[in-house]
Amino acid sequence: MTTLSVRVWRGGPGENGGRFETHAVPRLPAQTVLDVVTHIQRRIDPTLAYRFACRVGMCGSCAMTVNGRARWTCRTHVQAVAGDGALEIAPLAHFPVIRDLVTDMRGFFDKWAQAKGQFVPTATRNDSFARIEPAGKTRRAVDAAIECIGCGICHASCDVVGWNAGYLGPAALNRAWTLVNDPRDGGRATRLAAVAGDAGCHACHTHQSCTERCPKRLAPTASIAGLKRAAALAALKGQIA
Amino acid sequence: MSARRRQALLWLAQRASAAVLAACVVVHLATMIVAVRGGLSAAEILARTRGSLAWTAFYGAFVVAVAIHAPIGLRTILAESTGGHRRALDIAVGAFALLLLAAGLRAVFAVTVG
């Protein structure tokens, strides 16, 4: 049986807050990075803190930095990322570290709220169902962006998030874009005002790291580009106070 | 005007000025290459540009587009790399915009009026 050499981050944030510990983990067929972390916690060191839930790429809770790149660990095969048998597993970048591989996601989801990521209903229970043309332009724009699982990989991969702490980030802006294209929603003007400017969509440099690394293969960059146009037009028309 | 509206309009101004610059740079480079390959001397070039309303309008628009486009980009770069005070930054890049405009228009004046 061959073994993997796995460096795992232990402790708090930054170089002084913790250190990498190295473990030897048995190499198995079809092994995922999450399998490796689970093996370390269950067989080597039960104090290792990490987060996961569904194990099948639905819940968005197991994202970590794997060999320097943010990935969903449950759907990342060791074979694809550790050809030389070496793995380095660290918490997501741009998130405060709570302990080991667990990060604090509160700021990330607070930004969804700041971007007005909540649906604002305009109908009551007495109204009939809204009729949305499935092949319509806005519905297709929503379809292209709606499958976000909130894993934070785009946020961890975004340079602008690293430079500008107030920046809402690709996930929150992508969510806002799905609502801007929802004809049932009544919060468009408030939402465009919330996502405009230096901390919003106009701060995006179109590096496209979010789009390249999104495990759901969404394109937040395209969503942000749509928001830039919509918000700038709203500003021009005086709809943003 | 709110800060967010102003920032969105600045983004729009940078996009619009970029579109103008794209056309201006192409025309400027093509003109330079044609003039040099055609063997025109500086005096012959000035003879064509002086008194020309078309060249005055073209290079005037070029300079205005530069004075809008560059400071907005500089403002973003400085804000991200220094995390500096926004108000001070806006004043500094505003002054830079005026400097670009003055220097550029002076050059346009020199080749079109003399």
Side-chain angles (χ1 to χ4, degrees), chain A residues 192-226:
Chain A
L192 286 179
V195 301
D198 290 351
C201 59
H202 296 113
C204 169
H205 286 289
T206 323
H207 289 171
Q208 304 201 46
S209 302
C210 55
T211 299
E212 185 183 307
R213 296 189 183 173
C214 174
K216 298 293 288 181
R217 298 190 178 173
L218 306 183
T221 311
S223 300
I224 295 168

Side-chain angles (χ1 to χ4, degrees), chain B residues 45-114:
Chain B
I45 291 171
L46 283 176
R48 285 163 170 76
T49 56
R50 288 215 163 123
S52 165
L53 207 62
W55 284 122
T56 308
F58 173 76
Y59 278 108
F62 198 157
V63 164
V64 170
V66 169
I68 293 171
H69 188 83
I72 299 173
L74 190 64
R75 175 180 171 275
T76 304
I77 294 167
L78 289 174
E80 284 174 356
S81 53
T82 66
H85 192 268
R86 292 272 173 183
R87 179 91 183 129
L89 211 56
D90 284 347
I91 292 170
V93 297
F96 181 63
L98 290 176
L99 181 71
L100 282 179
L101 191 67
L105 290 180
R106 182 174 172 271
V108 173
F109 183 81
V111 294
T112 56
V113 179

